[in-house]
Each structure stands twice: as structure tokens, then as C-alpha cells.
Amino acid sequence: MGLRIAIGSDHRGVRVKGLIVEQLRGLGHDVVDMGPEETAPVDYPVYASKVAGAVSRSEADRGILICGTGLGMSIAANKFRGVRAVTCHDDVTAEASRRHNNANVMCLSADMLGERLLSRIVDLWVRTDFEAGRHQRRLDQIAEIEAEQGTSPEGGSCCG
Ligand code: RB5
């Protein structure tokens, strides 16, 4: 069954976002493109908030975020309750982030990854299942840290 996938980028990731949207729709997933549409400079936390917020509120099963490095998006997305965002840059990180970390948001670099590699990473990431078992215990521990820290599901008042 197809996943509900929210996707967003900053200005550096707009072109790659278009390619990934096409790929995911071709695979039968329900994709919501949360922008931006233009390549005029924008701030990545705004789009990280839209996508990670949708995942946090269970409006999307997974999220994909693209910026120049994939780093800022990951930092911002991880502020949202229940979000496990990772920056992936190859097959190993894409697969392990699903098998071991049950990552629900993947962040990608538009500047450093070629189109064929990006396509492989996306394909692997959407079709790899979480292994659970001992990994679930560790995710539970992360959830406890999150509860102790009181992360807001709305991400505070920033970037509205
Ligand atoms: C924007 O210049 C750049 O900082 C952004 O795309 C991203 O790489 C941040 O982590």
C-alpha cells in the first residue's frame, strides 16, 4: 500500500524535490508537496516545520526534506514530537535509518548527491521496514528523553 508522504525543501532543493515527487508518485505513493515552488531564497526551518509538523500530527506517514546539505532540515525537523529525522547520503544510511531507527523523516542534500544516487536512496528508504526488536527499546528511550524535555508538537511559535 502507498504511503502518505509530505515533502518540502528550501530554495536549493526545489529542483530535486520535483524529481522525487515524480518518482514517489510513480511508485504509487500519496505525495503532498509542501513547497516552495520557486527558487527564490527561503528559510529551511519554515519548510521543515510544515513537513515535520505533518508527520508529528500523523497527517503524513513519512516526510522528506531537501536543502543544500540536508543538515539544517534535520536539526529543525527533530524539534517535533515523534519525529525521527535523519540525513541520508548513501544506501547504508538510508537502509539503516529505517531498519534500526524507524526514521520517519529523511533529509537529503541537493548540493552533494547526484540524481541517480538520490533516486536509489529514496527508493530504499520508502520500501525498507523497521526491524523493531532491540531497536524498539532504544526508540522508547528516545521517546522518554523527548517527554522529559517537553518538545512541543507544534514546534513553538516559530515560522508560522
Ligand atoms: C542555505 O544556504 C543552506 O544553508 C541550506 O540549504 C542548508 O544546507 C542548511 O543546512
Side-chain angles (χ1 to χ4, degrees):
M1 205 182 79
L3 297 166
R4 293 171 305 160
I5 303 175
I7 186 165
S9 72
D10 71 357
H11 48 290
R12 302 181 85 94
V14 171
R15 194 186 64 82
V16 163
K17 173 164 64 64
L19 298 174
I20 295 175
V21 166
E22 216 173 288
Q23 177 184 355
L24 291 171
R25 288 190 176 141
L27 291 169
H29 299 292
D30 177 8
V31 184
V32 178
D33 185 345
M34 305 190 111
E37 289 175 10
E38 311 293 337
T39 53
V42 293
D43 296 328
Y44 62 80
V46 173
Y47 293 89
S49 296
K50 290 178 192 285
V51 169
V55 171
S56 182
R57 294 186 298 270
S58 300
E59 293 163 10
D61 302 311
R62 306 262 194 100
I64 295 181
L65 288 162
I66 309 121
C67 63
T69 57
L71 299 178
M73 286 294 197
S74 160
I75 294 169
N78 276 313
K79 301 299 177 191
F80 284 75
R81 189 192 299 273
V83 167
R84 294 174 297 278
V86 288
T87 303
C88 293
H89 43 78
D90 53 24
D91 292 17
V92 177
T93 48
E95 203 175 339
S97 77
R98 288 290 312 136
R99 285 196 194 289
H100 293 195
N101 312 114
N102 200 12
N104 50 13
V105 173
M106 175 169 69
C107 306
L108 295 166
S109 164
D111 291 355
M112 291 178 285
L113 306 179
E115 281 177 27
R116 285 179 63 179
L117 179 56
L118 280 164
S119 167
R120 277 169 62 97
I121 289 172
V122 167
D123 184 57
L124 255 178
W125 193 73
V126 293
R127 67 182 163 80
T128 301
D129 290 327
F130 178 46
E131 276 177 7
R134 68 188 188 282
H135 301 298
Q136 184 59 58
R137 182 179 72 241
R138 293 156 187 167
L139 295 192
D140 291 344
Q141 291 168 3
I142 292 173
E144 276 171 33
I145 295 170
E146 191 177 66
E148 282 165 17
Q149 297 293 318
T151 306
S152 159
E154 303 304 330
S157 58
C158 160
C159 318

